[in-house]
Amino acid sequence: MCGIIGYKGKRNVKDVLISCLQMLEYRGYDSSGLAVIKNNKIRVTKCVGRIENLKEKVSRYDFDNSVCGIAHTRWATHGKVSEENSHPHRVGNVVLVHNGVIENYKEIEDLLIKKYKFKSETDSERICALIDSFYNGNNELEAIEKATSMLKGSYSLGIMFEGKNKIYGIKKDTPLVLGIGNKEFFLASDICALLPYTKEFIILDDNEIVEIGDNFNIYYDGIIIYKKIETADYDVEEAMKNGYEHFMLKEINEQIDISRKLYSKYITNENINDLIIDLDKYKRIDFVGCGSAYNASLVAKYFIDKYCTNGEFYANCYASSEYRYMNHYFDKNVLVVFLSQSGETADTLACLRMCNEEGIDTVAIVNVISSTMAREAKYVLPMLAGPEICVATTKGYFSQSYICSLLVLKVMYKRKIINREELTRILEDFNKLPKYIDEVINKDYKIIADSIYKNKDIYYIGRGIDIYTCYEASLKLKEISYIHSECFASGELKHGPIALISKRTPVIALLSEFSVCEKTINNICEAKARGAKIITIRKESINIDKNLSDYDIVVPLVSEFVQSILIIIACQMLSYEVAKLRKCDIDKPRNLSKSVTVE
Ligand code: F6R
């Protein structure tokens, strides 16, 4: 989604803005721009495409001795990708950048249409005009307050006024932080963007206005308030590529270390600790998330269905965009678990707020601990994955599935479905993960990728937990390689999808469920008989006829509670190698954005 940067300080303003914008590239964007104040005048420069284009364009102007500036990466929502629609927008004396969506922008336009001629199709330009309509040359705070009180929707704004060497920021329902350096101040949608300059920041809450001059003030309802300064718990190196060709590859490799971190936080003395919540007191758990986060929650439901469900206790999984608009029956026996890497995904956040209003107990399994979800959920289980920059999640999904498995094991232990010895044995496998992940990452995926990367369609099949891993594997492949991919419960193949199989169509079968592997092998035979190219990704103890499988990846045998984690890592690597051969922009797939802060 769109990203906002602001800077006031002694460094070269344009250079700081560009370098911070580059740190926000991972969020996804289609155009960018900046506005800089020099000699009391604001110069706006913007362009379509990569930040490199903006860099080239601004290099034509002299920005020396600029005092402050704001900048933006745009991910088109209102209006096509064009220079007019990119930010910053200027109307009258006001220049502004905006992240979010204004629902009543047409009404605002109707109010202002006699006074202003609009150049863009964006809701953002209407906000700019609204602020200008209240501005008398000297009442910046009042103009911002009056204008934003009329807005319906979500926004974070970076605002400057012609002739004033200051930056203002305000937000509602999308993130904005104030970065604090040594006699220099920043605005950003994400603290990650500021890590080369500072780790100190203040999280702005809804309707607070920050005014950045030689120092800063934060106002709420016209009164100065004082807020806690936080320190980011990761370094700039963690947000950089560190020698890897892509963030995705780096993040896949980081899963080794994350499994160590998760183990030491959540498991001590062969016991699961620190999960805060007593799951045992609930009768129903709803898991809610979007995309891969939703896929990770399916792992928890799968195990709850398999081992814990009875008339008294069960779990559901929902995509946030559905959960939000459904009828619900809530009582004190319901726990809702939200999964979100960013902690800002609009639909998931709306569901969390809905549950909080209902007084339901909520848990957020979340990576960004400064995020809105982490602050608003009753309980928080940190994912400890560090900054995830590649748009397609890998380590985020990994961490979510890991924590989901621990949640279920905790329920199983408390309900005496497993005893101490069994729990200890299972947890030993969590401890072995770093070594096994390393082993899985270092298998040869290039040779398989080479044989399938030119195909137009690739299918995944599996049964039991494998079908849920297939959801995530298929999503990963299509989003980064743009190859059409679907997955099917393998028993469903002959009920329709087998019509799609022709000579050399790749079918990737995931095999980690011993009890149903013979059935899946039968389905593989059916696909093979129609000419499919078969790739099997299986656990060590499941054997497969050499003639059946064209390519075979074997992952170490571990407890079923972590087996799917090893299988998905093999799928992540395969998707990565395929996308690389197709020369795709792996870390920034087209049309996607990292933090989906609009509905
Ligand atoms: C897919 C992917 C997305 C996210 C989804 C939820 O690779 O990254 O499907 O999982 O947008 O994002 P979070 O977890 O930030 O709520």
Side-chain angles (χ1 to χ4, degrees):
M1 298 278 109
C2 306
I4 287 179
I5 295 293
Y7 177 68
K8 173 119 180 42
K10 294 267 173 287
R11 299 176 205 254
N12 181 307
V13 174
K14 170 205 65 168
D15 291 349
V16 173
L17 293 176
I18 296 264
S19 74
C20 292
L21 278 186
Q22 281 168 328
M23 296 288 288
L24 284 181
E25 275 191 287
Y26 72 93
R27 293 166 72 91
Y29 69 102
D30 42 55
S31 48
S32 60
L34 56 77
V36 165
I37 302 189
K38 182 179 167 177
N39 302 331
N40 288 322
K41 289 261 165 265
I42 303 180
R43 177 195 280 280
V44 176
T45 316
K46 43 197 192 175
C47 63
V48 166
R50 290 285 178 219
I51 290 168
E52 281 306 311
N53 304 353
L54 180 68
K55 211 170 159 183
E56 199 282 313
K57 198 163 176 183
V58 291
S59 68
R60 297 179 218 156
Y61 309 112
D62 174 15
F63 281 99
D64 288 352
N65 306 318
S66 310
V67 286
C68 59
I70 52 178
H72 189 261
T73 46
R74 175 174 188 251
W75 191 82
T77 54
H78 289 72
K80 60 183 179 297
V81 179
S82 69
E83 203 165 300
E84 291 71 42
N85 288 338
S86 351
H87 303 214
H89 291 282
R90 180 204 290 264
V91 179
N93 286 310
V94 181
V95 173
L96 139 170
V97 290
H98 167 221
N99 177 15
V101 171
I102 302 303
E103 289 152 15
N104 61 336
Y105 82 102
K106 277 280 173 208
E107 291 158 34
I108 292 169
E109 180 179 297
D110 293 344
L111 281 177
L112 301 170
I113 197 77
K114 288 206 178 104
K115 189 167 174 201
Y116 297 99
K117 201 167 164 351
F118 293 104
K119 291 185 223 116
S120 80
E121 302 156 275
T122 63
D123 51 350
S124 317
E125 194 189 12
R126 277 69 185 163
I127 313 174
C128 200
L130 192 61
I131 298 175
D132 188 70
S133 72
F134 291 117
Y135 185 51
N136 64 14
N138 225 0
N139 65 340
E140 294 82 6
L141 285 172
E142 188 192 18
I144 295 170
E145 261 174 16
K146 280 189 172 160
T148 49
S149 69
M150 293 170 65
L151 302 179
K152 289 197 187 120
S154 59
Y155 50 85
S156 35
L157 303 170
I159 310 160
M160 299 197 302
F161 294 83
E162 188 85 50
K164 310 277 169 169
N165 291 337
K166 286 184 179 173
I167 303 172
Y168 295 84
I170 183 167
K171 61 138 288 198
K172 184 174 159 281
D173 293 343
T174 74
L176 192 63
V177 297
L178 165 72
I180 302 167
N182 182 12
K183 295 192 186 135
E184 58 182 354
F185 304 100
F186 305 79
L187 268 187
S189 307
D190 182 345
I191 180 65
C192 262
L194 307 182
L195 290 176
Y197 300 102
T198 182
K199 288 174 81 177
E200 313 271 285
F201 66 102
I202 288 177
I203 301 167
L204 294 176
D205 283 302
D206 284 358
N207 302 318
E208 292 171 354
I209 302 181
V210 60
E211 178 187 45
I212 305 173
D214 292 335
N215 213 319
F216 72 88
N217 282 315
I218 299 176
Y219 298 85
Y220 184 75
D221 248 352
I223 294 164
I224 292 185
I225 55 166
Y226 296 93
K227 301 197 64 171
K228 188 170 159 237
I229 299 179
E230 320 258 348
T231 306
D233 59 355
Y234 36 78
D235 295 313
V236 64
E237 289 71 34
E238 288 185 66
M240 307 297 267
K241 273 192 209 149
N242 276 354
Y244 284 96
E245 197 175 342
H246 296 99
F247 278 111
M248 182 171 182
L249 188 59
K250 174 180 175 247
E251 288 163 8
I252 290 173
N253 276 275
E254 280 172 351
Q255 294 174 122
I256 300 170
D257 214 38
I258 296 163
S259 66
R260 287 196 190 100
K261 284 190 190 153
L262 288 168
Y263 190 88
S264 55
K265 171 152 178 74
Y266 290 114
I267 302 168
T268 7
N269 300 333
E270 284 127 24
N271 219 338
I272 303 167
N273 56 23
D274 228 358
L275 291 182
I276 318 161
I277 350 133
D278 182 8
L279 291 168
D280 211 34
K281 70 179 207 211
Y282 302 100
K283 291 193 172 154
R284 185 181 108 205
I285 304 183
D286 289 352
F287 290 92
V288 179
C290 296
S292 296
Y294 167 76
N295 291 346
S297 75
L298 294 168
V299 173
K301 176 170 163 53
Y302 170 80
F303 287 121
I304 289 176
D305 285 352
K306 186 165 177 182
Y307 292 113
C308 314
T309 301
N310 54 32
E312 304 268 282
F313 181 70
Y314 64 101
N316 297 313
C317 291
Y318 298 97
S320 317
S321 53
E322 293 297 318
Y323 196 70
R324 197 175 166 177
Y325 302 107
M326 284 165 61
N327 275 338
H328 294 283
Y329 170 76
F330 286 132
D331 64 18
K332 64 179 180 7
N333 297 317
V334 178
L335 173 73
V336 187
V337 179
F338 296 90
L339 297 96
S340 179
Q341 189 283 128
S342 61
E344 301 292 349
T345 302
D347 280 318
T348 312
L349 181 59
C351 295
L352 170 64
R353 287 181 169 163
M354 174 183 82
C355 292
N356 283 344
E357 265 169 37
E358 294 277 344
I360 302 302
D361 282 356
T362 55
V363 184
I365 300 179
V366 70
N367 195 30
V368 180
I369 46 144
S370 57
S371 65
T372 313
M373 276 183 231
R375 285 181 293 135
E376 295 190 9
K378 183 162 180 188
Y379 306 105
V380 178
L381 297 176
M383 287 162 54
L384 309 181
E388 193 175 60
I389 307 294
C390 175
V391 168
T393 181
T394 50
K395 60 179 183 171
Y397 172 87
F398 165 84
S399 180
Q400 287 161 345
S401 324
Y402 189 112
I403 294 171
C404 279
S405 285
L406 287 183
L407 279 176
V408 179
L409 283 168
K410 185 120 190 175
V411 174
M412 289 172 68
Y413 183 60
K414 288 204 105 185
R415 289 177 177 246
K416 301 193 171 32
I417 296 163
I418 44 172
N419 61 28
R420 179 112 263 320
E421 291 73 51
E422 285 164 322
L423 180 65
T424 305
R425 214 170 37 245
I426 294 167
L427 293 180
E428 269 167 22
D429 280 2
F430 281 74
N431 199 16
K432 288 181 197 147
L433 273 183
K435 173 170 164 280
Y436 289 153
I437 296 171
D438 193 27
E439 204 178 297
V440 174
I441 290 174
N442 286 302
K443 292 188 178 286
D444 185 4
Y445 300 95
K446 288 195 184 86
I447 185 168
I448 311 178
D450 196 50
S451 92
I452 62 175
Y453 82 100
K454 288 186 182 148
N455 280 82
K456 286 204 172 71
D457 314 281
I458 297 180
Y459 302 109
Y460 278 88
I461 59 168
R463 281 174 189 255
I465 194 163
D466 292 326
I467 183 58
Y468 301 124
T469 316
C470 284
Y471 288 167
E472 177 58 13
S474 174
L475 175 65
K476 208 79 334 175
L477 180 66
K478 67 182 144 235
E479 66 184 329
I480 63 165
S481 74
Y482 315 142
I483 296 179
H484 168 243
S485 173
E486 285 185 61
C487 60
F488 310 107
S490 54
E492 282 294 296
L493 257 192
K494 56 175 153 305
H495 298 286
I498 202 160
L500 298 168
I501 311 278
S502 61
K503 203 164 169 357
R504 311 308 287 157
T505 308
V507 172
I508 305 175
L510 305 188
L511 291 145
S512 77
E513 281 269 349
F514 197 77
S515 61
V516 286
C517 74
E518 283 307 323
K519 307 275 178 209
T520 304
I521 290 170
N522 288 343
N523 305 130
I524 295 174
C525 293
E526 291 158 11
K528 180 94 179 165
R530 271 90 192 161
K533 182 186 296 180
I534 303 293
I535 295 136
T536 43
I537 301 180
R538 63 182 167 101
K539 70 177 179 186
E540 228 165 6
S541 59
I542 292 179
N543 291 319
I544 188 118
D545 184 341
K546 278 199 172 56
N547 298 321
L548 196 55
S549 184
D550 295 274
Y551 297 96
D552 187 32
I553 294 282
V554 185
V555 306
L557 173 66
V558 278
S559 152
E560 62 178 325
F561 292 93
V562 277
Q563 190 70 66
S564 62
I565 288 182
L566 295 182
I567 300 269
I568 195 63
I569 291 171
C571 300
Q572 292 169 350
M573 282 302 298
L574 182 58
S575 300
Y576 172 78
E577 294 297 349
V578 168
K580 204 170 138 185
L581 284 172
R582 288 170 68 89
K583 303 201 180 350
C584 294
D585 193 351
I586 295 181
D587 289 330
K588 298 187 274 291
R590 69 183 177 212
N591 305 337
L592 293 179
S593 101
K594 183 72 189 156
S595 182
V596 185
T597 51
V598 295
E599 293 169 28

